[in-house]
Amino acid sequence: MTVLRKILTAALLIIPATAAAWSDTTTQADEVIERGPDKPDMSRCAGVGPASPYPDYNAHPLQPDNTGMSLAAMKLAHKIRLGWNLGNTLEAIGGETAWGNPRATRGLIRRVKSSGFDAIRIPASWDQYADPQTAKIDEKWLKRVREVIRYALDADLAVVLNIHWDGGWLENNVTPAKQDANNAKQWAYWQQIATHLRNFDERLMFAGANEPNVDDAKQMSVLNSYHQTFVDAVRCTGGKNAYRVLVVQGPGTDIEKTDRFWTGMPSDVIPGRLMAEVHFYTPYNFALMSEDQDWGKQFFYWGKGNHSDTDTAHNPTWGEEDALDELFAKMKYKFVDRGIPVIIGEYGAIRRDGLSGEALERHLESRAYYLEYVTRQSLANGLLPFYWDNGVLGDSGFGIFDRGKETVFDRQALDALLKGAGK
């Protein structure tokens, strides 16, 4: 998440009331989405791919293998009610522990699972581990990412693995000037990532980017090319990747920009295996803002019944329940009602432990209510919520877990998430 990194380094889909096990369940919506060929049409892979200065890293493509890959995107979405981010860890610039978190452990991931989450998003960087001349990713890093994914799958968590901010090479350069160079790099990286992780089953999903900065239709066209390159690179490695669910990001992963600029999903060799992604930190003044500014103040409180009678300067003036409902409805209409699942890949609100007394108590109650409301309304609109956890405990942090101790730190926030998810 770009803002947090600055802080730290400076109706078709009806989701059931309880989390389902990883078993085959079919709905009318699934049957509609899954019409199509039994096998992907891999003939498209002949000659596909951008012009590139890098080697071809898809040296050994496999025939499509649907073993353990029966779930299309809509059916896979039925299995997820509450996701968690292993934030500021595998995407940390300078190494896994560079942003203050310990190495991810099997014990931590088991704690996440036992606490009620059924999916994990793993933000990851790749560019810092790649040879700038050949785009070859260090084998040790590929193995480390695979190890963490194995922790999650062994705990029976669904996994979303992405290319995160990664120094901004893609995220900050969704421009015609960078389009060719970035498509070449996107192609090379995803050939390697997908090949290395090809044997994992359908619980592993790939996401092509994080928060790609897009502000107009021209940039959206460039972003579409990055998404198409991602999909083609993964599919053409074959094996289970021919069927794997892939996730593509709206412009800035911002709901309003996505509603305004989004023109359609990438073309694919198999129907019904794509999801869309947006993020949610609305209102900014409550979710992320850590200092009052001349243009506006922080919101310490949120939601009907949670405004302060004494600290009125920090009551919200926008972005409460009605605004949230309207934004989520846009994504339901644009994607979910058309059979495309949407993940809210990040959401949350900083914890303001620097407050005291009644202000702190009301703030924490507001924050719990916010987390519950966002989670519940996400699911009500067919959106899959993944809480952003940066591992930071206390003031300006999002941490649910004390990662060093592998224990729950913020029980109030966890309970709010579980309540919102109906768990």
Side-chain angles (χ1 to χ4, degrees):
M1 184 184 65
T2 303
V3 174
L4 278 181
R5 182 167 46 258
K6 290 179 179 177
I7 293 173
L8 290 171
T9 63
L12 285 178
L13 179 58
I14 306 296
I15 300 180
T18 57
W22 290 102
S23 59
D24 185 32
T25 58
T26 301
T27 69
Q28 183 177 1
D30 298 323
E31 292 171 353
V32 171
I33 291 303
E34 291 189 81
R35 290 174 186 163
D38 292 335
K39 288 187 177 181
D41 178 12
M42 304 303 286
S43 64
R44 172 185 177 136
C45 290
V48 73
S52 175
Y54 308 123
D56 182 2
Y57 290 107
N58 188 23
H60 303 289
L62 302 180
Q63 289 298 309
D65 177 8
N66 65 1
T67 306
M69 306 300 291
S70 64
L71 297 182
M74 193 65 95
K75 293 177 73 175
L76 186 56
H78 281 273
K79 311 300 179 185
I80 299 172
R81 288 195 67 79
L82 187 61
W84 179 83
N85 274 269
L86 181 65
N88 290 60
T89 304
L90 296 186
E91 84 276 30
I93 302 302
E96 185 174 349
T97 62
W99 289 352
N101 284 315
R103 282 170 59 89
T105 64
R106 186 180 295 275
L108 171 64
I109 303 306
R110 286 175 173 169
R111 174 62 66 185
V112 171
K113 172 67 175 182
S114 67
S115 296
F117 294 92
D118 42 38
I120 182 171
R121 180 173 177 260
I122 301 177
S125 65
W126 306 93
D127 197 57
Q128 67 175 324
Y129 300 104
D131 185 311
Q133 301 303 315
T134 64
K136 182 174 177 56
I137 301 169
D138 187 283
E139 187 72 16
K140 291 181 180 178
W141 182 243
L142 286 164
K143 289 180 178 178
R144 173 56 180 160
V145 174
R146 183 171 62 189
E147 181 179 43
V148 177
I149 292 170
R150 173 52 65 195
Y151 296 161
L153 296 180
D154 285 350
D156 202 24
L157 290 162
V159 178
V160 178
L161 174 73
N162 77 356
I163 288 181
H164 207 67
W165 177 67
D166 207 15
W169 66 267
L170 183 152
E171 189 156 299
N172 294 340
N173 293 286
V174 188
T175 63
K178 289 288 188 178
Q179 185 171 2
D180 290 345
N182 282 347
N183 271 314
K185 188 176 283 191
Q186 179 87 322
W187 180 261
Y189 286 168
W190 278 110
Q191 281 187 319
Q192 294 171 79
I193 297 165
T195 298
H196 193 76
L197 304 173
R198 183 164 49 192
N199 292 329
F200 285 124
D201 66 28
E202 62 201 0
R203 293 172 297 170
L204 173 62
M205 296 166 273
F206 297 146
N210 174 47
E211 293 177 347
N213 292 317
V214 168
D215 293 312
D216 55 38
K218 181 180 290 187
Q219 285 187 291
M220 186 68 230
S221 177
V222 176
L223 179 58
N224 285 336
S225 76
Y226 294 166
H227 288 336
Q228 190 64 61
T229 294
F230 158 64
V231 171
D232 289 343
V234 173
R235 292 288 183 243
C236 291
T237 63
K240 297 182 192 302
N241 288 337
Y243 297 88
R244 191 171 308 285
V245 171
L246 306 179
V247 185
V248 292
Q249 295 62 45
T253 53
D254 177 84
I255 290 177
E256 292 179 300
K257 288 183 179 181
T258 300
D259 187 56
R260 186 181 312 128
F261 297 125
W262 188 267
T263 56
M265 302 296 281
S267 60
D268 202 358
V269 298
I270 185 170
R273 301 283 171 144
L274 299 178
M275 293 187 182
E277 179 180 357
V278 294
H279 296 171
F280 191 77
Y281 294 104
T282 301
Y284 169 80
N285 307 56
F286 180 74
L288 296 173
M289 190 174 178
S290 59
E291 294 182 355
D292 291 343
Q293 302 292 336
D294 55 6
W295 53 263
K297 292 184 178 296
Q298 303 166 80
F299 300 164
F300 295 162
Y301 320 106
W302 190 88
K304 296 175 182 177
N306 290 324
H307 291 204
S308 174
D309 294 329
T310 56
D311 184 19
T312 57
H314 292 103
N315 281 332
T317 57
W318 67 283
E320 294 189 275
E321 292 97 332
D322 290 349
L324 183 152
D325 293 345
E326 181 179 350
L327 290 169
F328 285 2
K330 289 178 184 292
M331 295 297 94
K332 180 179 185 296
Y333 176 77
K334 196 171 193 74
F335 295 104
V336 179
D337 289 348
R338 290 160 170 77
I340 302 167
V342 178
I343 73 169
I344 296 185
E346 297 179 13
Y347 71 106
I350 58 175
R351 180 182 170 113
R352 303 172 188 273
D353 282 348
L355 302 175
S356 61
E358 191 270 342
L360 177 59
E361 181 180 357
R362 186 175 294 274
H363 161 69
L364 293 176
E365 290 175 354
S366 296
R367 181 171 176 264
Y369 174 65
Y370 176 85
L371 297 179
E372 176 190 341
Y373 194 88
V374 174
T375 304
R376 183 173 67 248
Q377 293 304 104
S378 295
L379 295 168
N381 285 277
L383 315 177
L384 312 180
F386 283 71
Y387 176 78
W388 175 258
D389 189 327
N390 62 3
V392 177
L393 308 179
D395 203 39
S396 294
F398 289 73
I400 295 287
F401 301 99
D402 183 322
R403 297 189 188 180
K405 297 178 181 178
E406 297 177 359
T407 58
V408 174
F409 166 76
D410 193 338
R411 170 55 63 178
Q412 184 182 35
L414 176 59
D415 287 347
L417 294 170
L418 295 174
K419 185 176 180 181
K423 294 195 172 201

